[in-house]
Amino acid sequence: MTIALRRYEAGGLPSEHAQLLIDVHADAYRDQADDPFVQRFPWFAKHWTSRPGYSCVMAYDGDEPVGYSYGAPQEDGREWWRQHMPPPADASTFAVSEVMVRPDWRKLGIAEQTHEALLSGRDEALAVLYVDVTHPRVQAMYERWAYGKVGEHRPFEDAPLYAVMVRALH
């Protein structure tokens, strides 16, 4: 199996891009399809793909999309992680929204490949992301990828409690 990575950027997204994100997510969360939070993912996908600076690295097995990592720079002053740590000299931040791999392609290193390709060459000083606190193995994976937990946060009422994780990019 040969996995190919393709980068997609704001302003140059194919019309089917958001639907590809939704389809991969639906497969990745097929066991939780009845969860109302999981069901709202199409809104999140459309929200993120419309953000300035949006970037995505998608993995393909042939023509089959099998996983992705995406995010966007945070607007100055809207860095939600700041409340959890002292202000850094350079607070420019890239928020990683999703790192996802379909079940049949997990444990092949695809998540790390898409994630590292997504962050490669970023100008921002920091990368930030959330991890559901009920998933300690996922948190440990991000720690292996040089993230550190700086706090916990629930971004809205029905969201899970998340570990706030930060990584220096330079």
Side-chain angles (χ1 to χ4, degrees):
M1 165 183 359
T2 301
I3 299 297
L5 302 181
R6 297 182 198 157
R7 180 177 292 276
Y8 299 93
E9 303 286 343
L13 299 176
S15 60
E16 71 278 0
H17 182 75
Q19 189 60 51
L20 287 175
L21 299 177
I22 293 165
D23 292 347
V24 170
H25 181 272
D27 189 27
Y29 284 91
R30 62 184 172 218
D31 295 341
Q32 299 171 44
D34 294 335
D35 183 316
F37 189 71
V38 170
Q39 292 174 351
R40 285 204 319 257
F41 182 77
W43 180 89
F44 287 104
K46 290 179 176 130
H47 167 77
W48 277 90
T49 58
S50 68
R51 291 187 59 177
Y54 168 83
S55 184
C56 174
V57 174
M58 190 167 293
Y60 288 86
D61 182 359
D63 291 331
E64 186 76 22
V66 299
Y68 53 75
S69 294
Y70 72 74
Q74 289 196 301
E75 296 171 29
D76 190 33
R78 296 201 55 190
E79 298 93 356
W80 44 263
W81 55 266
R82 279 186 164 188
Q83 66 188 348
H84 301 288
M85 60 187 276
D90 182 351
S92 61
T93 307
F94 186 83
V96 177
S97 177
E98 297 289 340
V99 176
M100 189 163 312
V101 178
R102 294 171 58 192
D104 292 344
W105 286 269
R106 290 185 182 149
K107 301 190 185 296
L108 300 173
I110 294 170
E112 186 172 15
Q113 288 176 37
T114 61
H115 175 267
E116 292 305 313
L118 177 68
L119 296 182
S120 176
R122 297 291 328 165
D123 292 331
E124 295 84 8
L126 302 169
V128 296
L129 53 79
Y130 282 140
V131 177
D132 187 325
V133 297
T134 64
H135 298 116
R137 290 188 348 215
V138 176
Q139 183 175 320
M141 176 188 74
Y142 286 118
E143 288 168 348
R144 287 190 304 275
W145 297 357
Y147 284 87
K149 180 180 174 182
V150 297
E152 294 181 350
H153 185 241
R154 187 181 315 273
F156 29 90
E157 190 175 310
D158 66 340
L161 180 62
Y162 290 110
V164 177
M165 303 193 75
V166 178
R167 169 183 165 173
L169 292 178
H170 307 288

